[in-house]
Amino acid sequence: MSIASAARPKPTPRPSSAFLTVDLDREGKQTGFLMIPHSPHDDAWGATRVPIAVIKNGSGPTVIMEGGNHGDEYEGPITICDLIRDLDPGRVQGRLILMPANNVHAVMAGQRTSPVDGLNFNRTFPGDPRGTITQQISAFVSDHILPVGDAFLDLHSGGSSLDIIPSAIVEPTDDPALHKRNVAAVQAFDAPMMVVISNLGEPRTATAAACRAGLVTVGTEMAGAGTVSLEALRVCRRGVANVLDHLGVVAREKPEPKRGDGQILELPGISAYVYATVDGIFEPFHANGTKVSAGEPAGRIHCTWDPTRPPETLYYAADGILYGRRQPGRVKPGNCCLIVAAPYHGPL
């Protein structure tokens, strides 16, 4: 597959004090860090170290792989670390830039957002090279990493708050040719489900930034529930190998039969989400994968500290398949309790 980026204009990087301890252009395998100067109370001239590895061999596409965008999502980072340790550079035709823990402070804390500045890394792109630590990391990725790439794999899971059917994600783009390449790469991943997710048009995500930069982009949602799913980890490892083979960077040693049914779903806007309306404990009525209908009762919220108060019933607003459920039972108004995926009717 030809995904050469030579014709894409390279933006001028914004001034930054961040630096790499690896050479992106050197042949072979290197491991090191993106260093962000960081001056907290107990370390006047210290640095935040974001791990990065580069595996380069000969000519071919550059594939950037990100994990740890959220610190409580585990299958993707494990898969990337496997590649860093185990992949023979001689099998690579091109270059891999592997970043398993981009939101590094959140990864080390095992939480979604950074404990340093409270920010969600995936809502900071294109970042600010003079901003907080999280904004500086996303700025470096935007200015120095994405522009050298041809493809971008952003490996997410449901994290601590959601349990999601393992799936490969299509990031929407206004570029029809890029959309086709994105869909083809997501189909190559061959997850149990393929879902188009626009995040309600949110432009500050890593995958939205990658699409703006013209990269073939693949996202994932690998289970979640705050743990490591063995099945989702198998799906992730296999899917990454499939996409690297599809892009012509690392050929599979042994092709595997397709496992997905080829159906593409989408989150149909605001109707996809069922939100908590009151404070209490959420009781879902259905398991993930269940077919559901708009207007059907979806679950109810109990206020167990006031037994005289009847539970409040929530309802689906879309027809489709129950794609994800909230993991913690405790909810407050505005918490996302359920997500419905519906058949995709857009362009392929």
Side-chain angles (χ1 to χ4, degrees):
M1 177 184 181
S2 176
I3 54 171
S5 62
R8 294 204 316 268
K10 299 293 190 294
T12 302
R14 294 165 287 179
S16 170
S17 55
F19 59 95
L20 291 172
T21 67
V22 296
D23 181 349
L24 296 180
D25 296 319
R26 184 190 302 169
E27 295 282 317
K29 181 187 292 190
Q30 308 165 70
T31 59
F33 299 95
L34 162 61
M35 304 287 284
I36 309 283
H38 186 188
S39 183
H41 168 72
D42 62 350
D43 193 6
W45 284 356
T48 285
R49 306 196 310 169
V50 180
I52 185 170
V54 183
I55 306 176
K56 187 175 187 298
N57 182 49
S59 61
T62 292
V63 178
I64 301 158
M65 205 174 302
E66 173 188 73
N69 183 304
H70 296 125
D72 58 351
E73 303 175 4
Y74 305 124
E75 289 84 1
I78 290 172
T79 298
I80 295 173
C81 287
D82 286 346
L83 288 173
I84 293 171
R85 289 190 301 270
D86 300 335
L87 182 60
D88 179 356
R91 293 187 57 209
V92 175
Q93 293 298 314
R95 177 172 56 176
L96 297 179
I97 299 175
L98 304 170
M99 305 184 77
N102 270 353
N103 191 1
V104 65
H105 293 291
V107 170
M108 295 176 71
Q111 64 185 48
R112 181 175 181 83
T113 56
S114 171
V116 172
D117 54 23
L119 293 182
N120 177 346
F121 180 71
N122 212 33
R123 299 295 185 273
T124 63
F125 283 81
D128 180 352
R130 298 298 187 219
T132 69
I133 289 297
T134 303
Q135 292 169 327
Q136 289 185 61
I137 297 170
S138 58
F140 193 92
V141 172
S142 295
D143 291 358
H144 298 274
I145 302 298
L146 294 181
V148 305
D150 299 296
F152 180 66
L153 277 67
D154 190 19
L155 304 178
H156 285 262
S157 303
S160 301
S161 71
L162 290 174
D163 184 11
I164 296 177
I165 296 174
S167 47
I169 308 303
V170 178
E171 173 70 33
T173 171
D174 294 331
D175 181 339
L178 180 59
H179 176 73
K180 287 181 179 294
R181 294 196 295 273
N182 287 351
V183 170
V186 167
Q187 289 172 328
F189 192 99
D190 194 30
M193 292 180 67
M194 296 179 287
V195 186
V196 178
I197 299 181
S198 69
N199 284 300
L200 300 178
E202 174 60 68
R204 297 172 296 170
T205 67
T207 49
C211 281
R212 287 194 298 272
L215 279 67
V216 173
T217 300
V218 176
T220 70
E221 291 293 349
M222 292 286 126
T227 187
V228 177
S229 161
L230 296 180
E231 176 57 23
L233 186 57
R234 283 191 288 269
V235 170
C236 192
R237 286 170 167 155
R238 180 180 182 276
V240 165
N242 286 344
V243 173
L244 293 179
D245 180 77
H246 169 76
L247 297 173
V249 181
V250 182
R252 284 203 69 115
E253 295 178 315
K254 181 180 180 182
E256 296 189 14
K258 286 278 187 181
R259 60 176 293 168
D261 61 8
Q263 181 185 21
I264 298 180
L265 304 174
E266 67 176 340
L267 301 193
I270 59 174
S271 65
Y273 305 93
V274 177
Y275 295 106
T277 54
V278 296
D279 196 44
I281 299 167
F282 178 62
E283 172 198 1
F285 287 168
H286 305 101
N288 280 352
T290 303
K291 290 185 178 181
V292 299
S293 301
E296 179 182 359
R300 56 186 180 172
I301 299 175
H302 301 266
C303 183
T304 55
W305 48 91
D306 182 2
T308 64
R309 179 177 171 181
E312 175 144 337
T313 300
L314 305 181
Y315 298 87
Y316 295 111
D319 298 338
I321 294 171
L322 184 57
Y323 175 55
R325 304 192 314 174
R326 180 172 171 82
Q327 172 66 16
R330 188 70 172 85
V331 297
K332 58 186 178 182
N335 284 156
C336 179
C337 296
L338 302 165
I339 308 107
V340 175
Y344 174 65
H345 299 295
L348 293 176

